Short mmCIF file of all heavy atoms in Angstrom, two decimals:
data_model
loop_
_atom_site.label_atom_id
_atom_site.label_comp_id
_atom_site.label_asym_id
_atom_site.label_seq_id
_atom_site.Cartn_x
_atom_site.Cartn_y
_atom_site.Cartn_z
N MET A 1 31.74 25.74 -47.82
CA MET A 1 30.39 25.20 -47.98
C MET A 1 29.75 25.76 -49.26
O MET A 1 29.87 26.94 -49.55
CB MET A 1 29.52 25.60 -46.77
CG MET A 1 28.13 25.00 -46.83
SD MET A 1 27.14 25.55 -45.42
CE MET A 1 28.00 24.81 -44.06
N ALA A 2 29.12 24.93 -49.99
CA ALA A 2 28.48 25.36 -51.25
C ALA A 2 27.29 26.27 -50.96
O ALA A 2 26.56 26.06 -50.00
CB ALA A 2 28.03 24.13 -52.02
N GLN A 3 27.15 27.26 -51.80
CA GLN A 3 26.05 28.20 -51.64
C GLN A 3 25.02 28.01 -52.75
O GLN A 3 25.37 27.65 -53.88
CB GLN A 3 26.58 29.64 -51.67
CG GLN A 3 27.54 29.99 -50.55
CD GLN A 3 26.90 29.89 -49.18
OE1 GLN A 3 25.79 30.32 -48.97
NE2 GLN A 3 27.61 29.29 -48.24
N LEU A 4 23.78 28.26 -52.44
CA LEU A 4 22.71 28.09 -53.40
C LEU A 4 22.94 28.93 -54.66
O LEU A 4 23.22 30.12 -54.57
CB LEU A 4 21.38 28.51 -52.74
CG LEU A 4 20.11 28.25 -53.57
CD1 LEU A 4 19.91 26.75 -53.75
CD2 LEU A 4 18.91 28.87 -52.89
N GLY A 5 22.84 28.32 -55.82
CA GLY A 5 22.98 29.03 -57.08
C GLY A 5 24.39 29.05 -57.63
O GLY A 5 24.58 29.45 -58.78
N GLU A 6 25.37 28.61 -56.86
CA GLU A 6 26.75 28.59 -57.36
C GLU A 6 26.88 27.51 -58.45
O GLU A 6 26.23 26.48 -58.38
CB GLU A 6 27.71 28.25 -56.24
CG GLU A 6 28.06 29.43 -55.34
CD GLU A 6 29.12 29.06 -54.34
OE1 GLU A 6 29.29 27.88 -54.03
OE2 GLU A 6 29.81 29.97 -53.85
N VAL A 7 27.71 27.82 -59.42
CA VAL A 7 27.94 26.87 -60.51
C VAL A 7 29.37 26.37 -60.45
O VAL A 7 30.32 27.15 -60.37
CB VAL A 7 27.68 27.53 -61.88
CG1 VAL A 7 27.95 26.53 -63.00
CG2 VAL A 7 26.22 28.02 -61.97
N PHE A 8 29.52 25.05 -60.47
CA PHE A 8 30.85 24.45 -60.49
C PHE A 8 31.06 23.82 -61.86
O PHE A 8 30.14 23.26 -62.44
CB PHE A 8 30.96 23.37 -59.40
CG PHE A 8 31.05 23.96 -58.00
CD1 PHE A 8 29.89 24.34 -57.32
CD2 PHE A 8 32.28 24.15 -57.40
CE1 PHE A 8 29.99 24.90 -56.04
CE2 PHE A 8 32.37 24.71 -56.13
CZ PHE A 8 31.24 25.08 -55.43
N VAL A 9 32.28 23.95 -62.37
CA VAL A 9 32.58 23.39 -63.69
C VAL A 9 33.79 22.47 -63.60
O VAL A 9 34.75 22.71 -62.88
CB VAL A 9 32.84 24.52 -64.73
CG1 VAL A 9 33.99 25.41 -64.30
CG2 VAL A 9 33.06 23.94 -66.09
N CYS A 10 33.74 21.39 -64.35
CA CYS A 10 34.86 20.45 -64.40
C CYS A 10 35.76 20.87 -65.57
O CYS A 10 35.31 20.99 -66.71
CB CYS A 10 34.34 19.03 -64.62
SG CYS A 10 35.65 17.84 -64.84
N LYS A 11 37.00 21.13 -65.27
CA LYS A 11 37.94 21.57 -66.29
C LYS A 11 38.28 20.47 -67.28
O LYS A 11 38.79 20.73 -68.38
CB LYS A 11 39.23 22.11 -65.65
CG LYS A 11 39.01 23.46 -64.98
CD LYS A 11 40.33 24.00 -64.43
CE LYS A 11 40.15 25.42 -63.87
NZ LYS A 11 41.42 25.94 -63.33
N LEU A 12 38.07 19.24 -66.89
CA LEU A 12 38.45 18.14 -67.75
C LEU A 12 37.38 17.83 -68.78
O LEU A 12 37.66 17.65 -69.95
CB LEU A 12 38.77 16.91 -66.91
CG LEU A 12 40.02 17.02 -66.04
CD1 LEU A 12 40.27 15.69 -65.33
CD2 LEU A 12 41.24 17.38 -66.88
N CYS A 13 36.11 17.74 -68.35
CA CYS A 13 35.05 17.33 -69.28
C CYS A 13 34.04 18.43 -69.55
O CYS A 13 33.19 18.29 -70.42
CB CYS A 13 34.35 16.09 -68.75
SG CYS A 13 33.32 16.38 -67.31
N GLY A 14 34.14 19.58 -68.84
CA GLY A 14 33.24 20.67 -69.11
C GLY A 14 31.89 20.54 -68.44
O GLY A 14 30.98 21.36 -68.65
N ASN A 15 31.73 19.52 -67.64
CA ASN A 15 30.47 19.31 -66.94
C ASN A 15 30.21 20.46 -65.97
O ASN A 15 31.13 20.92 -65.28
CB ASN A 15 30.54 17.98 -66.18
CG ASN A 15 29.24 17.65 -65.50
OD1 ASN A 15 28.17 18.02 -65.98
ND2 ASN A 15 29.31 16.92 -64.42
N GLU A 16 28.98 20.95 -65.94
CA GLU A 16 28.60 22.02 -65.02
C GLU A 16 27.55 21.53 -64.04
O GLU A 16 26.62 20.84 -64.44
CB GLU A 16 28.08 23.23 -65.79
CG GLU A 16 29.14 23.90 -66.62
CD GLU A 16 28.62 25.21 -67.25
OE1 GLU A 16 27.47 25.59 -66.96
OE2 GLU A 16 29.38 25.83 -68.02
N VAL A 17 27.71 21.92 -62.79
CA VAL A 17 26.77 21.54 -61.76
C VAL A 17 26.33 22.79 -61.03
O VAL A 17 27.14 23.58 -60.55
CB VAL A 17 27.39 20.54 -60.77
CG1 VAL A 17 26.44 20.26 -59.60
CG2 VAL A 17 27.77 19.25 -61.47
N THR A 18 25.03 23.00 -60.94
CA THR A 18 24.49 24.13 -60.18
C THR A 18 24.03 23.63 -58.81
O THR A 18 23.34 22.63 -58.73
CB THR A 18 23.30 24.77 -60.92
OG1 THR A 18 23.72 25.15 -62.23
CG2 THR A 18 22.79 26.00 -60.17
N VAL A 19 24.42 24.37 -57.80
CA VAL A 19 24.03 23.99 -56.43
C VAL A 19 22.57 24.35 -56.22
O VAL A 19 22.19 25.50 -56.35
CB VAL A 19 24.91 24.71 -55.40
CG1 VAL A 19 24.46 24.35 -53.97
CG2 VAL A 19 26.38 24.35 -55.59
N THR A 20 21.76 23.35 -55.91
CA THR A 20 20.35 23.59 -55.72
C THR A 20 19.97 23.55 -54.25
O THR A 20 18.84 23.85 -53.88
CB THR A 20 19.50 22.54 -56.49
OG1 THR A 20 19.92 21.25 -56.07
CG2 THR A 20 19.71 22.67 -57.98
N LYS A 21 20.94 23.19 -53.43
CA LYS A 21 20.68 23.16 -52.00
C LYS A 21 21.96 23.52 -51.26
O LYS A 21 22.99 22.84 -51.45
CB LYS A 21 20.19 21.76 -51.58
CG LYS A 21 19.63 21.73 -50.18
CD LYS A 21 18.95 20.38 -49.92
CE LYS A 21 18.30 20.36 -48.56
NZ LYS A 21 17.62 19.06 -48.31
N ALA A 22 21.95 24.58 -50.48
CA ALA A 22 23.14 25.03 -49.79
C ALA A 22 23.57 24.03 -48.72
O ALA A 22 22.73 23.31 -48.16
CB ALA A 22 22.90 26.40 -49.16
N GLY A 23 24.86 24.02 -48.43
CA GLY A 23 25.38 23.16 -47.39
C GLY A 23 25.81 21.81 -47.92
O GLY A 23 25.99 21.63 -49.11
N GLY A 24 25.99 20.90 -47.00
CA GLY A 24 26.41 19.58 -47.39
C GLY A 24 27.88 19.53 -47.75
O GLY A 24 28.69 20.25 -47.19
N ASN A 25 28.21 18.71 -48.72
CA ASN A 25 29.59 18.52 -49.12
C ASN A 25 30.19 19.85 -49.60
O ASN A 25 29.65 20.46 -50.52
CB ASN A 25 29.63 17.46 -50.25
CG ASN A 25 31.02 16.91 -50.46
OD1 ASN A 25 32.02 17.63 -50.28
ND2 ASN A 25 31.11 15.66 -50.86
N PRO A 26 31.33 20.28 -49.05
CA PRO A 26 31.92 21.54 -49.43
C PRO A 26 32.58 21.52 -50.80
O PRO A 26 32.92 22.54 -51.34
CB PRO A 26 32.98 21.77 -48.35
CG PRO A 26 33.32 20.40 -47.87
CD PRO A 26 32.05 19.60 -47.98
N SER A 27 32.78 20.34 -51.36
CA SER A 27 33.39 20.27 -52.68
C SER A 27 32.68 19.22 -53.54
O SER A 27 32.14 18.26 -53.02
CB SER A 27 34.87 19.95 -52.58
OG SER A 27 35.04 18.68 -51.96
N ILE A 28 32.70 19.46 -54.84
CA ILE A 28 32.07 18.53 -55.78
C ILE A 28 33.17 17.98 -56.68
O ILE A 28 34.00 18.72 -57.16
CB ILE A 28 31.02 19.26 -56.63
CG1 ILE A 28 29.99 19.94 -55.72
CG2 ILE A 28 30.33 18.29 -57.57
CD1 ILE A 28 29.05 20.88 -56.45
N HIS A 29 33.17 16.68 -56.84
CA HIS A 29 34.22 16.07 -57.63
C HIS A 29 33.69 15.50 -58.94
O HIS A 29 32.57 15.01 -59.02
CB HIS A 29 34.91 14.95 -56.84
CG HIS A 29 35.72 15.48 -55.69
ND1 HIS A 29 35.18 15.89 -54.52
CD2 HIS A 29 37.07 15.65 -55.59
CE1 HIS A 29 36.15 16.31 -53.72
NE2 HIS A 29 37.31 16.19 -54.33
N CYS A 30 34.52 15.57 -59.99
CA CYS A 30 34.19 15.01 -61.28
C CYS A 30 35.52 14.63 -61.91
O CYS A 30 36.53 15.31 -61.76
CB CYS A 30 33.46 16.04 -62.16
SG CYS A 30 32.96 15.41 -63.76
N CYS A 31 35.52 13.53 -62.67
CA CYS A 31 36.76 13.08 -63.32
C CYS A 31 37.89 12.88 -62.33
O CYS A 31 39.07 13.04 -62.68
CB CYS A 31 37.16 14.04 -64.42
SG CYS A 31 35.96 14.18 -65.75
N GLY A 32 37.59 12.60 -61.09
CA GLY A 32 38.60 12.34 -60.07
C GLY A 32 39.29 13.56 -59.51
O GLY A 32 40.29 13.44 -58.82
N GLN A 33 38.74 14.75 -59.81
CA GLN A 33 39.32 15.96 -59.21
C GLN A 33 38.22 16.90 -58.76
O GLN A 33 37.08 16.78 -59.19
CB GLN A 33 40.24 16.65 -60.23
CG GLN A 33 39.48 17.29 -61.40
CD GLN A 33 40.39 18.18 -62.23
OE1 GLN A 33 41.60 18.00 -62.28
NE2 GLN A 33 39.80 19.16 -62.87
N GLU A 34 38.62 17.87 -57.94
CA GLU A 34 37.64 18.81 -57.42
C GLU A 34 37.18 19.75 -58.52
O GLU A 34 37.99 20.25 -59.29
CB GLU A 34 38.30 19.61 -56.28
CG GLU A 34 37.30 20.25 -55.34
CD GLU A 34 37.99 20.79 -54.10
OE1 GLU A 34 38.78 20.05 -53.48
OE2 GLU A 34 37.77 21.97 -53.78
N MET A 35 35.88 20.01 -58.59
CA MET A 35 35.37 20.92 -59.61
C MET A 35 35.65 22.38 -59.19
O MET A 35 35.73 22.70 -58.03
CB MET A 35 33.87 20.69 -59.79
CG MET A 35 33.54 19.31 -60.33
SD MET A 35 31.77 19.03 -60.57
CE MET A 35 31.53 19.89 -62.13
N THR A 36 35.79 23.23 -60.21
CA THR A 36 36.11 24.64 -59.97
C THR A 36 34.86 25.50 -59.97
O THR A 36 33.98 25.33 -60.80
CB THR A 36 37.04 25.15 -61.07
OG1 THR A 36 38.17 24.30 -61.14
CG2 THR A 36 37.52 26.57 -60.78
N LYS A 37 34.81 26.44 -59.02
CA LYS A 37 33.67 27.34 -58.97
C LYS A 37 33.72 28.28 -60.19
O LYS A 37 34.74 28.88 -60.48
CB LYS A 37 33.72 28.17 -57.69
CG LYS A 37 32.43 28.92 -57.41
CD LYS A 37 32.57 29.81 -56.17
CE LYS A 37 32.82 28.96 -54.92
NZ LYS A 37 32.91 29.81 -53.70
N LYS A 38 32.61 28.36 -60.89
CA LYS A 38 32.55 29.16 -62.10
C LYS A 38 32.26 30.61 -61.75
O LYS A 38 31.30 30.91 -61.04
CB LYS A 38 31.50 28.62 -63.04
CG LYS A 38 31.47 29.25 -64.41
CD LYS A 38 30.41 28.58 -65.28
CE LYS A 38 30.49 29.13 -66.71
NZ LYS A 38 29.43 28.50 -67.55
N SER A 39 33.06 31.55 -62.29
CA SER A 39 32.85 32.96 -62.05
C SER A 39 31.73 33.45 -62.99
O SER A 39 31.65 33.01 -64.14
CB SER A 39 34.11 33.75 -62.29
OG SER A 39 34.62 33.49 -63.58
N LYS A 40 30.93 34.37 -62.49
CA LYS A 40 29.77 34.82 -63.28
C LYS A 40 30.13 35.90 -64.28
O LYS A 40 31.05 36.65 -64.01
CB LYS A 40 28.70 35.32 -62.33
CG LYS A 40 28.12 34.22 -61.49
CD LYS A 40 27.06 34.75 -60.50
CE LYS A 40 26.57 33.62 -59.63
NZ LYS A 40 25.62 34.08 -58.63
ZN1 LIG B 101 34.49 15.83 -65.39
#
């Protein structure tokens, strides 16, 4: 489950998404693949 404040990055296009609301979809997809959680 996504946690508030986590940042996910797409390795293909570099798009970054910050989770603004915890819960919901456990994974975020971009460019047809799952986005990777960005380490701080
Ligand atoms: Zn992408």
Side-chain angles (χ1 to χ4, degrees):
M1 184 182 295
Q3 298 297 317
L4 186 66
E6 280 185 337
V7 178
F8 287 83
V9 59
C10 175
K11 287 184 175 180
L12 293 184
C13 71
N15 184 30
E16 292 187 3
V17 174
T18 304
V19 178
T20 56
K21 192 171 184 179
N25 197 327
S27 62
I28 305 169
H29 290 79
C30 182
C31 298
Q33 70 169 27
E34 202 170 309
M35 295 181 80
T36 306
K37 192 184 298 182
K38 188 177 185 182
S39 55
K40 294 178 182 177

